[in-house]
């Protein structure tokens, strides 16, 4: 009888290094950046089709969204979250796609809200939403332990807003969602407006006017070249400096200090006590040097940068026979080797230059913003 040698096939991709790496809460990457912020995408689906994120020509009825079996279960997400927290994560943001489309999300929030940081403090648990379902869900989210929300809203003008979400969703319903979130105490609420030159820059002042004195913090986000489908062009980016100049001309503002190291938004305060605004200048003022964020995709891939084209398959470990210590080692080894600083590198190049193959870049709706 001849002996057949069956090769042992490593089921794991070779980017997963299981060499022991203790979770001490002190993990740092090659640029000495700690791991503090975990963004978890709970669905790749959305009921909006914002052109800068999920253009309807691409995300149409033929688009293959992930099947249910591919998604991490709540138990799997919570298990990974515990491992990330042991490595130093203090803040978890649920995102998507539209996170409120994920059924029973409150169950996941309850699981996450029970966790504490390495230092024994409560975790900061938040969620980014288009607010289409917020009016209905705000109370149950709050009851489950969610502390606050960030709402995306790109215009006060109903026509412009309906055009931007591309599903004819009215601005009044988003405003109602924000009102309910304020009432139930999901505070402080941040309002994110992606500014696209020539599309909604006329809405900067109406948005500023509406949210002044509301207690909600409006943040203007530069339109970014994330993903591979939005047809990004530099000439559609309105630099934050111009946004601040426009606001300042009507409602004088002065800069204020960051709340913490690694905060993405630069903060400004209205001189008349009208509250605070922020700008997120990912394009014109890269903040990679403080970037302490990891992103977990809907199907359990770990991404180290918004502009990455590949992720590390943690689901293979969860669904293989690996214990928490091994998974923690894999996460530790991945972060320890991290050297991503896409925006900084791109900023040093001429406008419109792309680094790497922009067609292979992962979509924002898949890894979450
Ligand atoms: N659906 C939710 C929402 O819109 O709030 C959560 C997911 S969405 C991908 C998260 C954030 O990413 C939103 O605030 C959205 O405006 C932002 N975003 C998406 N594409 C962007 C782009 N190309 N440039 C800048 N921000 C973008
Ligand atoms: Fe949906 Fe949010 Fe992307 Fe708009 S930005 S398409 S609401 S995931
Ligand atoms: Fe972080 Fe990548 Fe954005 Fe730089 S480009 S701030 S490394 S996500």
């Amino acid at each position: 009888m001849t002996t057949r040698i069956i090769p042992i096939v490593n089921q794991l991709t070779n980017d997963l290094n299981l060499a022991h790496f203790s979770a001490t809460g002190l993990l740092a990457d090659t640029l000495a950046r700690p791991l503090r912020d975990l963004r978890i995408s709970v669905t790749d689906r959305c009921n909006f089709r914002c052109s800068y994120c999920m253009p309807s020509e691409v995300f149409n009825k033929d688009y293959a969204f992930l099947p249910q079996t591919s998604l991490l279960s709540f138990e799997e997400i919570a298990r990974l979250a515990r491992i990330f927290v042991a490595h130093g994560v203090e803040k978890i943001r649920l995102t998507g796609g539209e996170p409120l489309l994920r059924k029973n999300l409150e169950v996941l929030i309850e699981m996450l809200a029970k966790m504490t940081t390495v230092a024994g403090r409560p975790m900061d648990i938040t969620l980014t939403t288009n607010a289409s379902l917020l009016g209905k869900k705000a109370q149950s989210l709050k009851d489950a332990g969610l502390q606050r929300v960030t709402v995306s809203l790109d215009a006060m003008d109903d026509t412009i807003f309906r055009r931007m979400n591309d599903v004819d969703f009215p601005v009044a319903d988003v405003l109602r969602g924000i009102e309910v979130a304020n009432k139930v105490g999901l505070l402080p609420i941040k309002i994110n407006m992606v500014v696209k030159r020539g599309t909604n820059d006329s809405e900067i002042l109406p948005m500023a006017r509406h949210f002044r004195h509301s207690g909600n913090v409006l943040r203007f986000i530069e339109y970014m070249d994330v993903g591979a489908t939005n047809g990004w062009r530099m000439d559609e980016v309105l630099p934050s400096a111009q946004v601040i100049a426009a606001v300042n001309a009507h409602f004088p503002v002065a800069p204020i200090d960051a709340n913490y190291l690694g905060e993405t938004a630069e903060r400004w305060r209205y001189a008349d006590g009208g509250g605070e605004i922020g700008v997120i200048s990912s394009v014109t003022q890269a903040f990679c040097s403080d970037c302490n964020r990891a992103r977990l995709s809907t199907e359990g891939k770990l991404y180290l940068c918004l502009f990455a084209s590949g992720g590390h398959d943690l689901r293979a470990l969860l669904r293989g026979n690996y214990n928490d210590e091994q998974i923690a080692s894999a996460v530790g080894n991945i972060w320890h080797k991290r050297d991503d600083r896409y925006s900084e590198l791109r900023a040093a190049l001429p406008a419109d230059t792309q680094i790497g193959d922009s067609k292979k870049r992962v979509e924002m709706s898949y890894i979450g913003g």
Side-chain angles (χ1 to χ4, degrees), residues 337-357:
K337 270 176 57 187
R338 174 182 187 245
D339 61 1
D340 301 70
R341 52 190 197 100
Y342 173 88
S343 291
E344 264 180 18
L345 296 174
R346 200 262 330 278
L349 299 169
D352 278 332
T353 311
Q354 300 279 322
I355 301 171
D357 186 349

Side-chain angles (χ1 to χ4, degrees), residues 113 122-126 141-142 145-149 185-188:
M123 290 290 299
D124 181 6
I125 313 277
T126 181
L141 293 169
K142 175 78 182 171
L146 189 71
Q147 285 146 6
R148 56 198 178 86
V149 286
L186 285 168
L187 303 172

Side-chain angles (χ1 to χ4, degrees), residues 48 64 70 81 95 99 158 161 209 215 228 257 267 270 274 291 308:
F48 283 15
S70 291
T95 176
D158 197 48
F161 183 62
R209 194 172 290 117
D257 287 343
R267 303 167 65 207
Y270 291 113
C291 181

